[in-house]
Amino acid sequence: MKLTVPRQDLADAVAWATRVAGGRAQLPALTGVLLEAADGRLVMRATDLEVTAEVGVDARIEAPGTALLAARLLAQLVARLPDGDVTLADDGERVRIECGRAKFRVRRIPAEDFPTPPALTAEAIEGSVKAHAFSRLVTQVGRAAAAGEDARAVLTGVNLEAADGRLTAAATDTYRLAARSVAFERAVEGAAIVPARALAEVDKAIAAGGGADVTVVLDAGQAQFRVGERTLTTRLVEGPFPNYRSLLPDASEVTVVVERAPLAEALQRAQVVASAAANTPVQLSFSEGGLELAVQNTEAGDASEQLPAEVEGGPLEIAFNPRYLQDGLEAAGTERIRFELRDGLRAAVIRPVAPDGEDADDLTYLLMPMRVS
Amino acid sequence: MRLVIARCSATYVGRLSSTLASGLRLIMVKADGCVAIHADVGAYKPVNWMNAPNLLAEEPDRWVVTNPAGERLEILLEEVLSDEVVPLDTERGLVLDGVERELQLLLAAHPDHVEPGLVTVTREFRTDLGPVDLLCRDPDGAAVAVEIKRVGEIDGVEQLTRYLDRMGRDPELRPLRGILAATTVRPQARVLAESRGIGWVEVDLQRLRGEEDPTPRLF
């Protein structure tokens, strides 16, 4: 193997592949990034057996070949090389890396144990989504997924369903639920529960300027996302995903439209007081002409703030976990948002509102209230 | 516990085949018959092992470990540096990590999270291979051994299989079945458990903790 590649291209590719899949090595081969040089391309692949990252860059290939190199070492090394072309060449048991006057010889890792991901099956369904729409979908919905090792596996994933030319994403940690759909440019049907962390990495690949579209492939046991030169393949979380549609209320007693940014800022101020003790709720009181946001904390003190709002119905009082409410406001993202409420004890809905008063997108953020003594 | 430090190589033939090249290693032969070959890396995990019940046939420079499942581990001893037998204390119950201990306590109090209708008989029911986490009875009176793990893996199924084998010899515990309970059960563990007629269940620790939770849940 001998090739030359621009340093920045190599650094970006190695950094992404290493971050996606280099963190949880169970075998020595999994600490490596596999370099495959052929036909004017250098393809790099890393995997932790759950997520596989593959990224290709254009390269001048003088001799095709492969090498498995320690991923973190290579990422750190390439990140510190001076700008210019990097040459990688076989050197016995090592690979010689040269850039300007810097020269390294990096020991190979035996590549025989590096796993080959299972090929996609003929039954896999494939469609594409606009990259910016997919990125927004992932950041809106993924925040409602459960995190941490204690969580039920199915709740750490985002449920993706393709049907009727739409791709619908949903996630829930049982306290809140986020669901939204985007246009899916093929009328195919299928479903998969994708680990939320894998989708977050797809989002980062989009942010890195990967391309205008994301190709989504849902297959038995795995899903694949292709963005420009980057491909992320992930094992699926075994289901079933909770039947969340039955939880969505079909009517509301009180609707409130409010400016999102002032509410989010007031909430952040109140959280300073609320965070002094665990499980301190933020209380919202809706009445004609506005809302009052209040926090009472016996340890730290209390806070309140009044905001204008368009309230239909009510009055009504409801309390939320401040962090979950903050997540809902961020997920909506629009200038104004709408609360749809039934009473102070049943789940509330937050939706984005477009400037003309219609829903900006079909995001539904369902949030359980807290009990207040 | 027999502890042998030896330069050795090993060949395993069973569910898969593996060959361990020559090297200086620690071979542990436990009182229950488990044989494990450890290298100087890898935390708790041996480089090769055979779970009990086993038959160990010793020759001067060759050990052959076989089990009823037809698995076979052959260890070729090139040089024995040390061979000691140290009697260890009898099993007094594993000190569980925080999450496993919490799960055990919560599931003992709420066995219906394992399976509706279960009633807890006792925690840490003793068998001569160690304590099983919960002994329960189902509504039909059948005994149910519940092994609790934070993450349910193949090892947990193997462990429960051994407990069930021992417990099944007690007529008062018949009929008997087993359930592996964990916050997450790995796909391979599910397959192995189902193939052995053992149940598995993923329990929601947050929901179990939820008795004092001020935020009700959507479902």
Side-chain angles (χ1 to χ4, degrees):
Chain A
M1 180 182 78
K2 185 172 184 188
L3 63 104
T4 303
V5 60
R7 186 204 72 94
Q8 192 62 50
D9 292 357
L10 182 64
D12 290 348
V14 171
W16 183 72
T18 303
R19 193 186 62 241
V20 169
R24 295 189 298 168
Q26 297 160 327
L27 299 169
L30 300 183
T31 62
V33 57
L34 186 70
L35 280 58
E36 295 176 313
D39 303 327
R41 301 278 292 166
L42 172 64
V43 175
M44 283 152 278
R45 198 161 71 230
T47 182
D48 62 7
L49 295 180
E50 289 197 355
V51 177
T52 300
E54 184 177 306
V55 52
V57 294
D58 290 332
R60 196 166 65 247
I61 309 292
E62 291 178 45
T66 65
L68 184 63
L69 301 179
R72 293 203 182 285
L73 185 145
L74 184 63
Q76 290 173 8
L77 193 160
V78 173
R80 288 164 175 76
L81 288 175
D83 272 337
D85 284 348
V86 181
T87 300
L88 294 94
D90 284 334
D91 190 354
E93 289 298 303
R94 295 163 193 248
V95 170
R96 201 171 61 249
I97 301 173
E98 296 181 1
C99 181
R101 285 180 284 184
K103 295 178 182 174
F104 301 85
R105 288 169 70 233
V106 176
R107 186 184 292 275
R108 289 168 179 267
I109 300 170
E112 300 79 45
D113 293 337
F114 192 83
T116 306
L120 295 170
T121 68
E123 287 75 39
I125 67 160
E126 181 176 324
S128 69
V129 180
K130 294 290 177 201
H132 66 87
F134 191 81
S135 174
R136 185 164 157 72
L137 178 80
V138 167
T139 49
Q140 282 178 302
V141 172
R143 69 184 69 232
E149 294 187 333
D150 298 349
R152 274 164 61 195
V154 74
L155 302 181
T156 63
V158 174
N159 190 54
L160 293 181
E161 272 181 58
D164 304 325
R166 308 283 296 173
L167 184 71
T168 303
T172 177
D173 63 2
T174 72
Y175 293 108
R176 66 273 178 67
L177 161 82
R180 207 206 127 189
S181 68
V182 292
F184 195 49
E185 293 173 358
R186 271 190 65 187
V188 288
E189 291 196 1
I193 306 172
V194 180
R197 78 172 181 99
L199 286 180
E201 292 300 342
V202 177
D203 183 43
K204 286 174 187 159
I206 294 168
D213 295 303
V214 179
T215 301
V216 179
V217 186
L218 305 182
D219 196 7
Q222 62 179 341
Q224 190 174 81
F225 304 88
R226 297 196 284 266
V227 191
E229 304 289 350
R230 299 181 182 193
T231 300
L232 186 144
T233 307
T234 176
R235 273 176 32 187
L236 300 180
V237 181
E238 289 202 19
F241 195 76
N243 176 20
Y244 68 90
R245 288 190 172 87
S246 65
L247 304 170
L248 303 177
D250 47 18
S252 60
E253 300 292 323
V254 179
T255 60
V256 180
V257 176
V258 60
E259 299 280 332
R260 186 182 66 89
L263 176 57
E265 288 162 13
L267 183 58
Q268 284 170 356
R269 286 189 282 273
Q271 272 185 281
V272 175
V273 177
S275 62
N279 294 325
T280 301
V282 57
Q283 290 178 270
L284 299 182
S285 304
F286 300 104
S287 58
E288 194 176 339
L291 71 85
E292 184 182 65
L293 178 150
V295 165
Q296 290 184 327
N297 187 314
T298 51
E299 298 292 322
D302 51 54
S304 68
E305 193 159 340
Q306 291 191 326
L307 295 164
E310 298 167 20
V311 181
E312 287 183 25
L316 186 147
E317 292 187 359
I318 194 166
F320 295 113
N321 177 313
R323 186 167 66 83
Y324 297 162
L325 178 59
Q326 190 84 41
D327 278 350
L329 299 181
E330 286 173 13
T334 44
E335 196 173 313
R336 297 193 305 160
I337 56 112
R338 185 168 70 238
F339 286 96
E340 296 173 3
L341 308 151
R342 288 171 288 175
D343 54 39
L345 299 174
R346 286 187 286 175
V349 174
I350 297 174
R351 294 187 199 279
V353 176
D356 60 4
E358 297 298 315
D359 291 346
D361 54 47
D362 68 354
L363 173 76
T364 300
Y365 187 88
L366 187 67
L367 173 62
M368 279 303 283
M370 287 179 79
R371 283 190 284 259
V372 182
S373 55
Chain B
M1 170 77 81
R2 183 175 175 189
L3 300 166
V4 177
I5 297 176
R7 187 172 301 284
C8 62
S9 59
T11 306
Y12 165 83
V13 179
R15 286 164 295 178
L16 48 83
S17 297
S18 68
T19 304
L20 191 61
S22 174
L24 194 58
R25 300 189 176 91
L26 166 66
I27 308 171
M28 294 167 58
V29 184
K30 296 190 179 181
D32 65 356
C34 290
V35 178
I37 306 173
H38 281 272
D40 210 3
V41 292
Y44 67 94
K45 198 162 186 180
V47 289
N48 224 323
W49 72 95
M50 288 274 281
N51 284 329
N54 282 327
L55 179 67
L56 170 59
E58 284 189 52
E59 296 171 20
D61 56 358
R62 192 175 78 128
W63 289 7
V64 179
V65 189
T66 51
N67 72 9
E71 294 169 289
R72 186 173 190 276
L73 176 66
E74 182 176 327
I75 305 169
L76 297 177
L77 302 167
E78 297 160 26
E79 182 188 7
V80 176
L81 276 67
S82 163
D83 186 350
E84 280 188 65
V85 176
V86 182
L88 301 186
D89 289 342
T90 47
E91 174 61 44
R92 287 179 180 156
L94 197 60
V95 178
L96 302 173
D97 76 24
V99 171
E100 275 188 19
R101 178 154 187 81
E102 185 185 8
L103 263 175
Q104 191 195 70
L105 292 169
L106 289 168
L107 287 176
H110 305 282
D112 52 313
H113 282 252
V114 176
E115 186 178 284
L118 280 193
V119 176
T120 303
V121 177
T122 185
R123 282 198 302 124
E124 308 228 337
F125 178 81
R126 286 190 174 279
T127 78
D128 48 7
L129 292 181
V132 68
D133 287 316
L134 296 183
L135 175 63
C136 300
R137 292 275 180 192
D138 70 14
D140 298 326
V144 181
V146 181
E147 184 58 30
I148 297 166
K149 298 289 180 195
R150 189 174 61 77
V151 177
E153 298 183 278
I154 281 178
D155 286 355
V157 181
E158 297 282 9
Q159 188 181 355
L160 183 53
T161 303
R162 293 197 296 275
Y163 292 150
L164 291 169
D165 179 53
R166 308 303 285 190
M167 294 168 74
R169 301 173 190 191
D170 182 346
E172 292 191 1
L173 295 178
R174 294 180 202 147
L176 170 70
R177 59 192 174 92
I179 299 176
L180 177 68
T183 53
T184 302
V185 180
R186 302 275 190 230
Q188 301 93 326
R190 298 179 188 189
V191 171
L192 185 64
E194 287 166 8
S195 72
R196 294 180 177 180
I198 292 174
W200 58 268
V201 61
E202 289 186 336
V203 295
D204 185 339
L205 181 57
Q206 291 176 352
R207 183 180 290 274
L208 267 169
R209 286 170 177 160
E211 304 300 323
E212 303 300 319
D213 194 340
T215 307
R217 289 164 183 264
L218 289 162
F219 55 92

